[in-house]
């Protein structure tokens, strides 16, 4: 049964499962490690896990200024569990938490043509804007 759980820290097994999700997306680099992941988790406003039994099958997080602006990031569901409404439930959960805490600006970068997925959850493509990142990709 699916369970959504916010975490502030994770045991070694949970960290390994979260790393598997990052790796499946190609979002894990050689210089990343469990200690750094622990900091991503504790430093995020919310770090959400989706659990099937005891196994982490999805994740997503929100980073913020703790008052007004927040970004949703690193949202992913393991390939084997996609198209079962899990990703949508995670986005809805994070948005609800952020709105409840008074955040007025909630943004994200929709990778790989996923913007229709986010549009279904109330997000809009920002006209005349381009997501950018510093340095080489
Ligand atoms: C994007 C992602 C999180 C969606 O998770 P999911 O659990 O498969 O999504 P859901 O089952 O909740 O889908 C909800 C709705 O969005 C649609 N949808 C899901 N993925 C989509 C995509 N990539 N493009 C367009 N629509 C999509 C579904 O068809 C569904 O529509 P419906 O409600 O009309 O049936 C998942 O595909 C994933 O992990 N992708 C790789 C990582 C990624 O791209 N993350 C997001 C960008 S940062």
């Amino acid at each position: 049964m699916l369970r959504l759980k916010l975490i502030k820290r994770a045991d070694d097994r949970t960290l390994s499962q979260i790393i598997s999700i990052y790796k499946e997306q190609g979002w894990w680099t050689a210089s990343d490690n469990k200690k750094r992941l622990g900091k991503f988790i504790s430093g995020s406003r919310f770090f959400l896990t989706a659990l099937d039994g005891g196994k982490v099958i999805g994740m997503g997080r929100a980073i913020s200024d703790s008052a007004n602006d927040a970004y949703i990031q690193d949202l992913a569901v393991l390939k084997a569990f996609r198209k079962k409404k899990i990703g949508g439930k995670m986005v809805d959960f994070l948005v609800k938490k952020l709105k409840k805490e008074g955040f007025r600006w909630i943004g994200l970068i929709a990778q790989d043509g996923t913007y229709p997925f986010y549009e279904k959850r109330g997000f809009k493509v920002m006209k005349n804007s381009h997501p950018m990142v510093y340095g080489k990709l």
Side-chain angles (χ1 to χ4, degrees), residues 25 75-77 82-88 114 117-118 120:
Q25 301 316 310
L75 186 92
V77 175
R82 287 184 193 163
K83 307 279 180 205
K84 294 173 191 283
K85 312 278 179 200
I86 298 168
T114 52
F117 162 76
Y118 290 111
K120 284 182 179 162

Side-chain angles (χ1 to χ4, degrees), residues 34-113:
K34 282 184 179 165
K35 195 172 169 204
R36 271 172 67 79
L37 176 58
K39 289 185 179 177
F40 300 171
I41 293 170
S42 62
S44 295
R45 184 69 197 83
F46 299 120
F47 196 105
L48 183 65
T49 54
L51 300 164
D52 182 56
K55 189 184 171 190
V56 185
I57 56 159
M59 64 176 188
R61 63 186 180 125
I63 54 176
S64 80
D65 60 12
S66 299
N68 197 76
D69 294 9
Y71 285 85
I72 290 177
Q73 201 163 302
D74 296 352
L75 186 92
V77 175
L78 281 175
K79 282 178 187 156
F81 293 88
R82 287 184 193 163
K83 307 279 180 205
K84 294 173 191 283
K85 312 278 179 200
I86 298 168
K89 282 181 185 153
M90 287 199 295
V91 174
D92 292 348
F93 185 100
L94 287 170
V95 168
K96 196 171 164 195
K97 287 291 286 184
L98 291 166
K99 285 178 73 177
K100 198 172 168 200
E101 295 220 345
F103 288 94
R104 295 185 190 148
W105 195 95
I106 304 172
L108 55 84
I109 296 175
Q111 265 184 223
D112 295 333

